[in-house]
Amino acid sequence: MSDRPPAPTASGLELVAELRSALDRAGELARVAELNLRELAARGGDAGGPSLATELERRLATAESDVKELASRLVDSEHQGGRLMNLYVATYQLHATLDPAEVQATIAEIAINLLGAEKFVLLLRKDDAPGCDIALVGGTSNDRRDRREAPEIDGLYGGEVYAGGDPVVDATLEDGVLRLGPTADSKALAAVPLRVQNEVVGALVLLKLLDHKPILRAEDRDLLDLLSAHAASALFAARLFATKDRKLRTLESLVKLARGE
Amino acid sequence: MQPRKVLVVDDSKLMHKMFEVMLRQYALVYASDGRQALDRLREHQDIDLVLLDVNMPNMNGLEFLAQLKAGGGGDGMAIVIISTEGRDEDTVRGLEAGAAAYIKKPFHSEEILDVISRLPARSAA
């Protein structure tokens, strides 16, 4: 037998190479750890366990605080997204038709479904006389007779015409400023002016909210402003189209008559 | 729950548009009252979530639920009532009629999405 060690095999050499590589990596990690500990020590504490734990706790607290702030911002963003979606859908639907009745129905749907109004009236200025037509009396009740008999929709809004009498509504019809109530002399929770090119052509008056929605919220103000700006123009365009369409049909009938068709 | 197809039952076109925007990740079909909703369920066998208004013409939401139950339907679907009727007894009546959840209008979009995500997954009927 020879006392010389056996010749290294290829696999043995690979093993050694891997071992050296692992030792190099371990050495590098040890250097990084040493540097970190020295850095911590230089910041004030010693390089021992307690200060490291304190530093880690501080970082953990910061991370938790960041997570909470991000969660809060996410909720705010979702909420803001919801508000913008409401505004988009309301605007889209107001201008989605040229039928005056459908525009009025959309105004009612916005009042009920997005604002949570239980009772409301839509007033439109008369073209050739003082006062406003009561174009729409709205509510969530299925029975339309109930709506006009409701205590909030009595007297001033009980007929076909609003001749004035609620100081908040009258002021809004006069100057076109959105007003929130109620006040001592007005039941109106909101008087929303309907304007077309700075001319006040009517108002949406909210008289009662759903019981589970006690007050108008800050975000509802956006919707009220939107109604003020878009509802009147949508109604105006629809009425104009309906008038022109009616005239066109009359003229077509006359032409057919003249041709003897 | 990740619904395959959602049936929106509401007589308001505004609400149809609202759900179209809010639930754009899902396949949606629409009905304007309870009768139309029953027709849609017959036409679309893969509907597994119904968002149901209560106050509607022709057939209201609770009547729809009663008809559905009487016909032996609704096993493979979740029903969420979304209504302006906000009293406690309205909620109880809706849940007793077979709804999995009751949401009051007006609502925030995240409320709807949250309720849908919390609904247990249903097996197909």
Side-chain angles (χ1 to χ4, degrees), chain A residues 75-126:
Chain A
V75 169
D76 287 347
S77 300
E78 285 177 346
H79 205 65
Q80 184 70 5
R83 289 170 64 179
L84 291 172
M85 188 181 69
N86 281 358
L87 293 174
Y88 163 73
V89 169
T91 313
Y92 178 96
Q93 209 60 32
L94 277 172
H95 296 288
T97 178
L98 284 171
D99 179 347
E102 278 196 37
V103 176
Q104 287 190 19
T106 300
I107 293 171
E109 287 174 12
I110 292 169
I112 294 169
N113 293 300
L114 302 187
L115 290 167
E118 188 175 332
K119 305 290 177 195
F120 56 91
V121 290
L122 177 65
L123 309 176
L124 296 176
R125 273 196 198 284
K126 286 176 156 301

Side-chain angles (χ1 to χ4, degrees), chain A residues 10-24:
Chain A
S11 61
L13 288 173
E14 285 171 6
L15 205 60
V16 169
E18 277 183 28
L19 188 59
R20 277 188 179 143
S21 172
L23 284 171
D24 287 344

